[in-house]
Structures are given as C-alpha cells and as structure tokens.
Amino acid sequence: MKLNDMQIDQKLESLPDWHLNGAQIVRDFHFESFKMALAFVNRVADLAEWVNHHPDILIHNYNRVRLSVSTHDAGGLTDNTPAVLISACGTLIVSTSMRLARIVDRVRGLSHEIEVLSFDEGVEFPEERLHEFERQLKTHTQRGVLIQRSLTYLYVALGLFVTTTVCIGLVALLQHLGWLPMVLGIAGTLFLFYSSMLLIAETRLALRSVNSEMEFTLMLRALYQERRRAAAGTPVETVAETEAPTRSLRKITQKLGIG
C-alpha cells in the first residue's frame, strides 16, 4: 500500500541521512575513491537481488553514490512488510497442518499395531513391541500438542498482520492512530516467533523419536540373532556385544545433536 507524506515523515525519523525527493527517498554516499564507490554499488546490487527490491543507483563526481528508493510498480513508497509476513504465515500454516496430518496417520497406525498385539498371539516379542509402541504414542501426543499450539499462534499472527494491513489503510484515510499498525505488527511478529520456537521443539522431538525407533529395530535384530544362535546351539553373544550397534547409533545421533 502506498504511503502518504505523514507516514513517510514518521519512517524517515529512524533513517538518518535519508530525505524525501518526489516519490523517492534518497541518500548520498561519499567514498575515498572510485573503486570503493563501485565496490559499494556491487554490494548494494547483491542485496537488492536477494530482497527483490531494486533502487536507482547513480555514481557521480567519480566517488559519490546516490541511492533512490521507491516501489516502481506502485509509483511511490510502500510498506510491504505486512504482505510478506502474511505470505510467510500462510506458508507455515500449510506446512504445519501437513505435519499434524502425518502425526495423526502415525497414531492411527500405532493404534492398529497395538490392537494386533492384543489379539494375535503369534507376534514375536510382544512385550518389547508394546513398550515401544506406547513410547511412540506418548511422543506423538507431545508433538501433536506442540503443533496444535503452534498452529493457534500462527493463526493469531496471521490475523494480526491482516489487521495491520487494514489499519494502514485506515490511518492513511483518517490521519489518526499512526502508532496502531506498528503495535499490531510487532504483536504479530512476536506470535510468529513463538510459533517458530514451538516448531523447533517439535522437530527435536521428531528426531528423537526416529532415533528411538532405529534403536528398537536394532534391538529386535539382536533378539532374532540370539534366538537363531540358541536354536543352532552356538554360543550366545554377551549383552555388551548385542548392544554394540545401539551404542554406535547413539554416538552418531549425539554428534548430530538429536540424541
């Protein structure tokens, strides 16, 4: 949304050495040499490409650079932050909802496995399997709670950013309450940040769950090997030998920070 003169003046207070020139804000930079001025222009070009917002750049008097900034397609200065944050919230909501759906599917699968253990007496090592399935259910319950909270805060943040966009339009129309969009934007950003922290915590739980499932698979492998050796009459490995793969796995996951 295009900013009015009052909004531009307010924002320029936090941008020393910049001034308004028509529909652009302008700043002049002075360097010791032409080479330093050109290096500065190249750095600005890299940043402009990264944020997809390109200023007008003028090198004059061999060591001076003038930057002129506006939003070209809007024909003036705009405040695009709410739109960017709304897009970010929408993307996070979609990906987080998909994570929650995968957890629901996994819990249903575990519930089915527990039912099979309850009725099928032919399942080998039922106690070990039941203990592992119960542990996984507990972990997935914790993950589900974290994701549910994260989604809640993401929706709150999205609502605040949409309200911020509406308030920017109202402030431009009424010429009052210029502080309100900033307060709403900061509040939405804080909710977005807290939601991201919850997602980080959920990711660590997911990695630990994968680690535990791999350990359980290695334990089953050792139990099957022990049974085959016992049936063949060969010496049974010691506990230390059977747990060696598990210890190796723990060392790997600890180095990765997920143990």
Side-chain angles (χ1 to χ4, degrees):
M1 179 176 293
K2 189 173 180 179
L3 301 178
N4 58 35
D5 292 341
M6 183 182 71
Q7 292 172 321
I8 294 173
D9 290 337
Q10 290 175 346
K11 293 181 180 296
L12 283 176
E13 292 177 359
S14 61
L15 296 173
D17 300 324
W18 289 84
H19 64 275
L20 185 64
N21 183 12
Q24 298 177 318
I25 56 173
V26 178
R27 180 176 176 180
D28 290 307
F29 297 85
H30 180 216
F31 300 94
E32 295 181 359
S33 66
F34 174 77
K35 186 175 181 180
M36 293 179 64
L38 192 59
F40 171 76
V41 169
N42 289 331
R43 291 197 299 271
V44 171
D46 291 337
L47 290 173
E49 284 294 321
W50 184 63
V51 299
N52 194 29
H53 194 76
H54 306 89
D56 294 330
I57 303 175
L58 173 65
I59 300 178
H60 60 101
N61 294 340
Y62 87 88
N63 64 343
R64 297 178 183 271
V65 177
R66 172 170 293 183
L67 296 184
S68 304
V69 180
S70 68
T71 302
H72 299 288
D73 55 1
L77 296 170
T78 63
D79 193 346
N80 290 321
T81 302
V84 173
L85 292 174
I86 288 171
S87 177
C89 279
T91 302
L92 279 174
I93 286 172
V94 171
S95 63
T96 305
S97 299
M98 293 177 63
R99 290 164 75 169
L100 182 60
R102 288 195 293 269
I103 291 176
V104 171
D105 291 339
R106 181 57 178 156
V107 169
R108 288 173 178 170
L110 289 172
S111 300
H112 176 72
E113 293 290 343
I114 292 175
E115 290 179 2
V116 171
L117 285 176
S118 302
F119 296 102
D120 190 352
E121 297 181 356
V123 177
E124 297 179 324
F125 310 114
E127 293 299 326
E128 291 82 355
R129 294 178 186 273
L130 181 61
H131 177 74
E132 173 63 17
F133 292 158
E134 289 175 347
R135 185 208 61 78
Q136 290 185 33
L137 279 175
K138 181 180 178 180
T139 300
H140 290 312
T141 299
Q142 294 173 338
R143 291 179 61 196
V145 170
L146 288 174
I147 287 184
Q148 184 271 332
R149 290 178 180 174
S150 178
L151 274 174
T152 299
Y153 288 117
L154 281 174
Y155 279 116
V156 172
L158 179 61
L160 287 170
F161 291 142
V162 171
T163 306
T164 301
T165 304
V166 174
C167 284
I168 290 174
L170 290 177
V171 168
L173 179 65
L174 302 175
Q175 302 294 320
H176 291 294
L177 300 177
W179 53 267
L180 185 57
M182 183 178 297
V183 172
L184 291 172
I186 292 174
T189 303
L190 291 176
F191 277 107
L192 179 60
F193 174 77
Y194 184 63
S195 175
S196 300
M197 294 300 100
L198 291 176
L199 289 177
I200 291 174
E202 186 274 332
T203 300
R204 292 187 64 84
L205 271 179
L207 291 173
R208 289 174 183 172
S209 179
V210 171
N211 180 22
S212 181
E213 289 181 31
M214 290 189 293
E215 288 184 354
F216 175 69
T217 301
L218 291 175
M219 185 194 72
L220 283 182
R221 173 178 173 272
L223 290 174
Y224 280 118
Q225 288 178 340
E226 181 180 340
R227 174 179 292 181
R228 287 196 296 269
R229 290 191 180 94
T234 56
V236 179
E237 291 181 344
T238 64
V239 174
E241 291 173 334
T242 56
E243 291 184 350
T246 301
R247 289 201 305 271
S248 299
L249 178 61
R250 283 201 191 97
K251 290 180 180 178
I252 294 173
T253 53
Q254 287 173 356
K255 288 182 179 179
L256 294 174
I258 61 175

